[in-house]
Amino acid sequence: MEKVEILGVGISNVTMEQALDKAKAFIGKRGHMIFTPNPEIIMLAQQDSQLKEILNEADLLLADGIGVVIGSKIIKKPLPERVAGFDFVCRLFESGASFYLLGAKPGVADAAAEKLKSRSVNVVGAYHGYFDSDDDVISDINEKNPDVVLVCLGAPRQEKWIYKNRHKINAAICIGAGGTLDVLSGNVRRAPAVVQKMCLEWLYRAVLQPTRFKRLAAIPKFLIKVAAKR
Ligand code: UDP
């Protein structure tokens, strides 16, 4: 698959529809990894060579943030569109695959599971993200036998966790999906469509969760670094 390399990270050159087709083709196989980097994660990978290697091993690396798409335009290898991790996961729910939800504060994954089940999404299990033993979580996942595991532990923990455990997990795909369960449970609101269209979702999220403001500094730093390397 064609990739667009931005600061040493090879982003998959795909639209949302193409990404969904690829993911659906993984169902029935085993051990695939999908990550959804934004500028912050790509900047983290500049200091963390293990994270960079893990991202580059992914079967699909989706441009979660609008900053990544802008970065691709700066280097004159434009990605077709933003493929937001949350939207990608919501579309994948429609595929009929079975899902296991891992991550977020105790109660959140269970609440997300209940809401999804009421929409007829096939959720087979859930576990919070503040566990002590990987083995306990992995045996629960394997007992429930899902097609897809959503791993929502925040970056870079989720990417490293998936990479370390991917051969022990009996599932077709593990997706690093950040704050997805917080939104699915109803605890955090997604930006309104008009804000998303204005490419200002990052600002909306920071206003709702002010602790995110310091994380926004990564966006200009990322764009300056991409422009400097052009
Ligand atoms: N989280 C977790 N275990 C941890 C640390 C974080 O399950 O040890 C969860 C946290 O509760 C939140 C998610 O990971 O639900 C990270 O969300 P964030 O919004 O930071 O992710 P983003 O979408 O920005 O990558």
Side-chain angles (χ1 to χ4, degrees):
M1 184 203 320
E2 203 195 318
K3 297 204 164 175
V4 172
E5 195 177 305
I6 304 180
L7 300 182
V9 176
I11 307 293
S12 305
N13 193 2
V14 287
T15 61
M16 171 68 84
E17 297 304 322
Q18 290 166 334
L20 285 164
D21 285 347
K22 297 226 174 260
K24 286 178 200 163
F26 298 153
I27 309 283
K29 299 177 185 159
R30 201 169 178 231
H32 292 84
M33 302 189 291
I34 301 179
F35 302 129
T36 62
N38 55 20
E40 190 188 357
I41 298 176
I42 297 177
M43 286 306 278
L44 271 181
Q46 304 307 299
Q47 320 291 330
D48 183 340
S49 56
Q50 190 206 11
L51 175 63
K52 195 186 263 183
E53 271 171 44
I54 291 173
L55 291 174
N56 283 323
E57 292 250 342
D59 299 282
L60 262 179
L61 208 52
L62 305 177
D64 180 66
I66 191 63
V68 180
V69 178
I70 296 172
S72 74
K73 289 184 180 157
I74 292 175
I75 59 167
K76 304 237 179 320
K77 290 180 191 157
L79 290 162
E81 61 181 344
R82 176 184 180 211
V83 185
F86 183 81
D87 296 331
F88 173 77
V89 164
C90 287
R91 292 284 309 277
L92 204 56
F93 286 145
E94 296 163 12
S95 68
S98 57
F99 288 81
Y100 188 99
L101 314 179
L102 170 61
K105 298 207 172 106
V108 175
D110 287 327
E114 286 318 309
K115 289 213 165 161
L116 289 169
K117 282 183 198 166
S118 73
R119 286 165 39 195
S120 305
V121 178
N122 188 5
V123 179
V124 293
Y127 210 109
H128 67 78
Y130 294 82
F131 51 87
D132 294 323
S133 152
D134 285 0
D135 288 344
D136 289 352
V137 176
I138 293 166
S139 27
D140 191 53
I141 295 173
N142 288 346
E143 204 176 291
K144 309 281 166 55
N145 197 26
D147 295 314
V148 183
V149 185
L150 298 188
V151 183
C152 303
L153 304 173
R157 189 175 167 212
Q158 62 202 9
E159 288 78 10
K160 292 185 176 181
W161 194 88
I162 290 172
Y163 185 75
K164 176 173 153 221
N165 294 307
R166 69 196 187 290
H167 296 308
K168 293 193 221 159
I169 296 172
N170 200 356
I173 315 173
C174 290
I175 306 179
T180 295
L181 297 179
D182 293 316
V183 180
L184 288 171
S185 66
N187 282 9
V188 171
R189 240 184 313 143
R190 184 90 198 273
V194 61
V195 176
Q196 290 180 45
K197 277 212 179 91
M198 289 164 76
C199 302
L200 289 175
E201 187 167 15
W202 51 278
L203 185 60
Y204 181 91
R205 291 182 79 184
V207 170
L208 238 56
Q209 293 170 273
T211 48
R212 299 182 80 96
F213 259 112
K214 64 176 190 306
R215 292 167 54 175
L216 292 183
I219 300 174
K221 280 189 196 153
F222 166 81
L223 293 173
I224 291 166
K225 206 170 168 85
V226 173
K229 288 245 164 120
R230 179 176 53 177

